[in-house]
Amino acid sequence: MPVAGPNTPRAPRRSRAARPTPPLGSLTQAAHRESAVCGSCGSERVTRLSMALTDGTEVQFVSCHVCEERSWLSPGGPLSVASVLDRTRKQ
Ligand SMILES: [Zn+2]
């Protein structure tokens, strides 16, 4: 995925509250409560649900409206769907 660095000139958007955009590399610490972005396209147009799996793992389900990426994030990092299902089955 091409990553636009902070120095890459792009069409500047007028927003007064200049919100610092975290570098994409920090997505690995993704469990930030306040901001969820798509792990695939970086869009903030995502639906985020927080829930706890059967084994007690707190996860966030992030569904992107732009590219339809769906991902599961745990405090330890992204989870695969298979891993989520596996944890859900465990009692
Ligand atoms: Zn996306």
Side-chain angles (χ1 to χ4, degrees), residues 37-43 45-46 63-69:
V37 297
C38 172
S40 179
C41 73
S43 169
R45 291 187 56 207
V46 296
S63 172
C64 178
H65 296 285
V66 177
C67 70
E68 299 188 358
E69 168 86 2

Side-chain angles (χ1 to χ4, degrees), residues 4 6 8-10 12-14 18 25 31-32 34-36 38-39 44 46 48 50 56 58 61 63-64 68 79 83:
T8 306
R10 300 198 76 180
R13 266 214 222 153
R14 288 204 182 183
H32 273 276
E34 55 276 71
S35 72
C38 172
E44 292 184 5
V46 296
R48 183 186 53 175
S50 296
E58 274 195 41
F61 172 68
S63 172
C64 178
E68 299 188 358
L79 290 174
S83 170

Side-chain angles (χ1 to χ4, degrees), residues 11-87:
R13 266 214 222 153
R14 288 204 182 183
S15 67
R16 295 185 187 195
R19 196 159 41 138
T21 306
L24 283 182
S26 71
L27 282 181
T28 44
Q29 344 168 340
H32 273 276
R33 299 269 159 180
E34 55 276 71
S35 72
V37 297
C38 172
S40 179
C41 73
S43 169
E44 292 184 5
R45 291 187 56 207
V46 296
T47 296
R48 183 186 53 175
L49 298 173
S50 296
M51 63 188 82
L53 300 182
T54 310
D55 70 351
T57 305
E58 274 195 41
V59 296
Q60 298 198 340
F61 172 68
V62 179
S63 172
C64 178
H65 296 285
V66 177
C67 70
E68 299 188 358
E69 168 86 2
R70 289 174 190 181
S71 54
W72 295 85
L73 305 173
S74 77
L79 290 174
S80 69
V81 174
S83 170
V84 170
L85 291 178
D86 191 47
R87 286 165 190 259

